[in-house]
Amino acid sequence: MDRLLACGGLLESAAEDVERAKTRRRVRHPEWFKDYARLEAEAVELHDYSSLAVPGLLQTEAHARVVFGARQPLLDEVTVEQRVTARLDRQQIFNRWPPPFTTFTIEESVLRRPLGGWDVHREQLEALLRFGGLRSVELQVLPMERKEHSSLGGPFILLTPKGKPQVAYLEVQHISRLITDPDEVRILAARYGSIRAQALTPEESLTLIEKMLGDR
């Protein structure tokens, strides 16, 4: 229609704006996650320790769909698609300039679980290699063979919003807690430092993921 009416790209541009608006309307976070999602979107630093699942920020569309589709009690299809869209939308923080400095420390056992089958899992491992190759991202794997472990209490995230103090975020069984108490945040930050020290280096971690792909 733009070409037929000789609008010089005006209608085409408007159509793109409408499509973007539709996408934004489809982004739906659960109520208990909205406060964290807002802070994450403006973060200048983010540090994620994951012991049970691939970090949501790094999940592929297929992997995220498996995660939400398998959730109990079951979510309806509309909600699943909304959650997948919202999860992928969060990855826009990697496209910002300047991007936030992010580190991810993931248990090796998480990467050994072929969630959704090998095709989905292979795509997810390849995505981790891409994310780990970004200049603003440091990705580390905590090997299963380690004899010591600094955080058997479970996963957590440390987040620093722009111009604000660092906070921490915990989530278990769909119960979430945003931690702002300085002493509690300090303890988790120190714990994260210990976890990273026990993990493989970023280079060693990417080499291990490449080996996982080659072993199949």
Side-chain angles (χ1 to χ4, degrees):
M1 289 297 295
D2 186 276
R3 290 190 296 270
L4 288 173
L5 298 176
C7 292
L10 182 62
L11 286 179
E12 184 178 1
S13 176
E16 292 173 355
D17 290 340
V18 170
E19 187 59 33
R20 282 193 291 268
K22 287 168 59 180
T23 299
R24 286 194 293 270
R25 287 196 295 270
R26 288 195 295 268
V27 173
R28 294 290 185 272
H29 294 295
E31 287 298 324
W32 50 265
F33 190 74
K34 286 183 176 180
D35 287 342
Y36 170 79
R38 176 177 51 80
L39 292 174
E40 182 186 79
E42 60 184 59
V44 294
E45 282 192 31
L46 186 147
H47 309 286
D48 185 315
Y49 165 60
S50 294
S51 60
L52 300 174
V54 172
L57 267 176
L58 305 183
Q59 290 181 11
T60 64
E61 180 177 349
H63 186 102
R65 186 166 284 108
V66 170
V67 170
F68 290 120
R71 183 162 294 181
Q72 295 288 344
L74 293 175
L75 301 174
D76 62 77
E77 292 299 324
V78 172
T79 301
V80 168
E81 292 306 311
Q82 288 176 342
R83 298 283 175 87
V84 170
T85 298
R87 177 153 293 182
L88 296 178
D89 185 70
R90 290 166 55 202
Q91 295 177 1
Q92 293 181 19
I93 69 169
F94 296 114
N95 300 323
R96 282 182 3 211
W97 187 261
F101 173 58
T102 54
T103 67
F104 298 90
T105 306
I106 309 173
E107 292 283 348
E108 180 182 350
S109 56
V110 171
L111 306 183
R112 296 287 182 186
R113 182 180 300 116
L115 198 65
W118 175 246
D119 288 342
V120 172
H121 189 58
R122 181 184 64 243
E123 182 185 32
Q124 180 61 70
L125 293 179
E126 291 171 345
L128 292 179
L129 290 177
R130 290 194 298 274
F131 282 117
L134 297 177
R135 287 192 298 155
S136 61
V137 175
E138 292 185 0
L139 190 152
Q140 294 178 256
V141 177
L142 187 58
M144 292 187 293
E145 64 184 16
R146 289 290 188 260
K147 296 180 180 179
E148 297 180 351
H149 198 301
S150 298
S151 187
L152 294 175
F156 60 89
I157 296 173
L158 296 164
L159 187 151
T160 306
K162 186 175 182 179
K164 299 177 182 177
Q166 187 177 59
V167 298
Y169 177 73
L170 307 178
E171 183 182 317
V172 60
Q173 295 296 335
H174 311 145
I175 298 172
S176 64
R177 181 187 174 201
L178 191 64
I179 300 174
T180 58
D181 180 82
D183 287 335
E184 291 188 64
V185 175
R186 176 184 55 78
I187 290 172
L188 287 173
R191 188 172 297 161
Y192 188 73
S194 296
I195 294 170
R196 292 194 71 190
Q198 293 167 347
L200 300 175
T201 67
E203 182 178 359
E204 292 169 339
S205 299
L206 296 183
T207 298
L208 176 61
I209 295 173
E210 289 174 344
K211 186 176 184 300
M212 291 178 183
L213 283 164
D215 286 345
R216 178 66 180 185

